[in-house]
Amino acid sequence: MTDTLSPFRNEPYADFSIPASRQAMEAALAAVRAQFGHEYLLRIAGEEIRTAEKLRSLNPSKPSEVVGVHEKATPELAARAVEAAHAFLPEWSRVPAGQRARTLLRAGAIIRERKMEFDAWLVYEAGKTWPEAEADVSEAIDFCEYYAREMLRLAGPQPVVQLPGEKDELFYLPLGAGIIIPPWNFPLAILAGMTAAALVAGNTVVIKPSSETPTIAAKFAEVLAEAGFPPGSFSLLVGSGAVVGDVLVKHPKTRFVAFTGSRDVGLRINELAARHQPGQVWIKRVIAEMGGKDAIVVDANCDLDKAVEGVLVSAFGYQGQKCSACSRAIVDARIYDAFLEKLKTRAEALRVGPADQPGNYMGPVISEGARRSILNYIETGRKEGRLVAGGASADGEGYFIRPTIIADVDREATIFREEIFGPVLAVTRARDFDHALELANDSEYGLTGAIFSNDPEHIRRAREEFFVGNLYVNRKCTGAMVGAHPFGGFNMSGTDSKAGGPDYLLLFLQAKSVGEKTGHQA
Ligand code: NAD
């Protein structure tokens, strides 16, 4: 099968300036809208289950609209899902890697066929604008394509030294039953990426999606089933993280947890998973990708317009709700005022409104809770610095917030230190490049960062000293591409798993070494 696969290439994005693409997207939005309010059942090892309590997911651009109605899992059902995953492991792990990879490629192909439909679900349930939704869905396809190829590579012979008189081998086995806990902000890409990696490696999984985006997860489960992942290989368990999360993480048959989300929940999962439970015969593995407080350094010697553009899209794309979003611009004092002036003009021109209307650059934030929390941070920020742009909600029924810039922010300020996860940018003045690097590294996080500079020595120093998992030079700090920018951060940003890179699948595998005596026995 390896011979027949072309080298990996990233899924191209639809160009919505082309009338045919625009019309296809309008049609997909209408088709998805016609399914609003549909009820989706839990899926435990192929069995569809109804429960007493329901969860309604809303359209954040228009919260009076219910996108999907979902059954809420109970702790008992959570335990049942882990046990079902554990029970099916012997069967799924024996399926040859080539067949698992083919199944995953089929899943990617189905998403590709239904791309605009998925785009539309992301517009309505996650509040993504068309291009942001398209990037998310394309990344999900990339993960399927990339990890299928990675599994084939890892299933092949591994280079070990051959001792005289022995045949020496190393091969990879799956880990076991795993829990997949994604966030809502890349509700398809991260959900699909973590699930794809786990399944293609031969593990079975229980997927617990975010309560904000369960319909997208239900649609993804349809894809897994249609692609041919056996019913026993995965369960979809919608429910409150607080109610079912602990049961899933603590269960003695849980072998690993792949989590992407906030720092606090990641730390809690890590702690709980570390505790031995009666009957547990392994140390659970935790893959935890967490928050960010990402900085862009704007050097005195740089292309100022490019820097303004890079900061703008990194800070306000998807309303700043990316772990990779720029939330701190650290600007050399010599160009500080000119930079701020240009940035303010550009930010004030950004249109904010319903995500399904293609003229809007920014849609809503995810929920009323998020809106309140972000507005509170803005209030704090007003006291900690100088409000330059935004600072309030935008008109409309949705959870809209204007792109907000707060200047003259000190390194001790709350809005310099805490992840806000919304369209709020703190701008800080640096005395010189040394000071800028020092400020950029003054964070408990270390996910992404960027530097805009024309000075080769400063770029060299950023490569060495800017302590982030993903560094970008003279470009935005968002938009990591599978294969090109393996993704993951340092420090409190997580375990640096490097999703979409050659190290990732190993996190879902364990290596076994076999040394066999050959020829005459001594
Ligand atoms: P969150 O931590 O609130 O939730 C993440 C997931 O954990 C959800 O599915 C949630 O239901 C679940 N959960 C909540 N409590 C739980 C518990 N006690 N046990 C088990 N699961 C539980 O995060 P969020 O608001 O969904 O996502 C935003 C966060 O994710 C931000 O901090 C962002 O930086 C981070 N993020 C990081 C990356 C990365 O690659 N590093 C990527 C995307 C998002």
Side-chain angles (χ1 to χ4, degrees):
M1 177 178 181
T2 325
D3 297 337
T4 60
L5 277 187
S6 55
F8 170 80
R9 61 184 277 271
N10 295 107
E11 181 68 20
Y13 294 166
D15 177 354
F16 292 117
S17 68
I18 295 170
S21 301
R22 242 186 355 257
Q23 281 152 17
M25 185 63 182
E26 298 282 5
L29 287 165
V32 160
R33 174 168 275 283
Q35 296 177 57
F36 273 11
H38 181 84
E39 188 170 342
Y40 300 87
L41 305 185
L42 297 179
R43 193 192 276 255
I44 298 186
E47 189 187 342
E48 296 201 311
I49 295 173
R50 211 178 279 280
T51 60
E53 252 195 284
K54 311 291 172 206
L55 184 153
R56 286 177 171 70
S57 85
L58 309 179
N59 173 5
S61 296
K62 199 171 180 212
S64 55
E65 289 178 339
V66 175
V67 175
V69 178
H70 298 263
E71 315 297 311
K72 268 196 192 176
T74 58
E76 294 70 37
L77 288 173
R80 205 165 115 193
V82 178
E83 279 143 28
H86 179 72
F88 194 69
L89 183 75
E91 193 165 325
W92 180 239
S93 61
R94 275 198 300 270
V95 171
Q99 191 178 325
R100 298 196 306 258
R102 265 194 302 279
T103 312
L104 184 55
L105 289 170
R106 262 199 307 277
I110 295 168
I111 299 174
R112 189 180 291 116
E113 277 161 28
R114 294 172 57 179
K115 201 171 184 204
M116 294 233 177
E117 181 209 330
F118 270 105
D119 282 356
W121 284 114
L122 268 73
V123 166
Y124 282 131
E125 195 170 52
K128 295 213 168 192
T129 57
W130 296 17
E132 294 286 351
E134 175 72 10
D136 191 322
V137 177
S138 301
E139 189 176 3
I141 298 169
D142 282 353
F143 280 134
C144 295
E145 292 278 342
Y146 188 86
Y147 294 144
R149 286 169 174 76
E150 277 298 288
M151 191 60 234
L152 295 177
R153 177 176 71 83
L154 292 168
Q158 300 301 309
V160 286
V161 168
Q162 299 298 315
L163 290 184
E166 273 191 18
K167 181 174 177 242
D168 296 304
E169 282 176 282
L170 178 140
F171 48 87
Y172 291 106
L173 305 178
L175 288 173
I179 314 298
I180 308 292
I181 308 180
W184 51 263
N185 74 326
F186 281 85
L188 187 63
I190 294 180
L191 166 87
M194 296 198 297
T195 306
L199 285 174
V200 81
N203 304 287
T204 52
V205 295
V206 178
I207 307 166
K208 200 228 69 66
S210 165
S211 302
E212 309 288 359
T213 50
T215 313
I216 294 160
K219 296 288 163 189
F220 178 64
E222 285 173 8
V223 171
L224 290 180
E226 190 187 331
F229 285 101
S233 65
F234 69 96
S235 292
L236 177 68
L237 202 80
V238 173
S240 146
V243 174
V244 295
D246 285 5
V247 179
L248 295 172
V249 172
K250 275 170 45 185
H251 199 290
K253 298 291 184 236
T254 293
R255 176 65 180 84
F256 68 95
V257 182
F259 167 83
T260 307
S262 63
R263 167 192 181 278
D264 290 353
V265 174
L267 288 179
R268 180 185 166 76
I269 287 174
N270 195 44
E271 187 181 335
L272 267 189
R275 276 189 225 149
H276 176 259
Q277 304 294 333
Q280 181 183 325
V281 296
W282 44 63
I283 297 174
K284 289 175 189 167
R285 195 178 287 178
V286 175
I287 302 151
E289 293 310 314
M290 312 188 318
K293 190 70 196 173
D294 311 304
I296 294 186
V297 169
V298 183
D299 199 9
N301 174 7
C302 75
D303 181 326
L304 195 58
D305 289 329
K306 287 210 177 101
V308 168
E309 207 53 35
V311 170
L312 187 88
V313 299
S314 304
F316 302 126
Y318 191 37
Q319 298 78 264
Q321 302 173 114
K322 297 180 188 176
C323 54
S324 56
C326 171
S327 57
R328 297 180 296 149
I330 296 170
V331 185
D332 191 291
R334 283 162 283 184
I335 51 158
Y336 187 83
D337 293 334
F339 171 85
L340 256 186
E341 196 50 47
K342 280 175 186 268
L343 187 69
K344 170 185 162 70
T345 308
R346 291 286 288 115
E348 284 177 344
L350 295 179
R351 279 182 54 183
V352 185
D356 60 350
Q357 293 173 20
N360 292 324
Y361 180 78
M362 285 169 60
V365 299
I366 190 69
S367 64
E368 176 55 23
R371 198 175 73 94
R372 254 184 282 120
S373 158
I374 295 163
L375 290 175
N376 280 340
Y377 272 113
I378 291 176
E379 279 319 300
T380 305
R382 277 172 186 274
K383 295 179 203 123
E384 292 178 327
R386 173 167 57 97
L387 184 73
V388 168
S393 297
D395 291 343
E397 185 195 328
Y399 309 124
F400 304 119
I401 298 183
R402 296 225 50 87
T404 297
I405 301 171
I406 299 174
D408 308 345
V409 175
D410 187 81
R411 69 200 297 172
E412 301 306 329
T414 310
I415 65 159
F416 186 92
R417 311 208 71 80
E418 292 183 12
E419 185 181 45
I420 300 172
F421 222 57
V424 183
L425 175 72
V427 186
T428 300
R429 190 191 304 261
R431 287 188 304 274
D432 51 26
F433 183 70
D434 282 333
H435 189 213
L437 260 188
E438 183 190 318
L439 288 166
N441 282 335
D442 186 7
S443 171
E444 66 174 358
Y445 295 107
L447 189 45
T448 74
I451 170 178
F452 281 87
S453 177
N454 290 328
D455 183 330
E457 174 59 12
H458 287 178
I459 293 172
R460 185 195 66 74
R461 285 198 45 208
R463 290 169 63 92
E464 280 181 15
E465 296 171 38
F466 201 157
F467 196 64
V468 290
N470 287 72
L471 178 69
Y472 300 99
V473 179
N474 290 322
R475 52 151 284 177
K476 62 182 180 172
C477 65
T478 53
M481 297 299 287
V482 170
H485 312 125
F487 193 78
F490 299 157
N491 292 347
M492 278 300 158
S493 290
T495 52
D496 190 33
S497 66
K498 290 293 181 273
D503 302 333
Y504 192 68
L505 232 51
L506 292 174
L507 301 171
F508 297 84
L509 292 162
Q510 52 196 339
K512 180 169 181 177
S513 151
V514 178
E516 181 184 349
K517 208 79 184 146
T518 54
H520 296 297
Q521 299 296 316

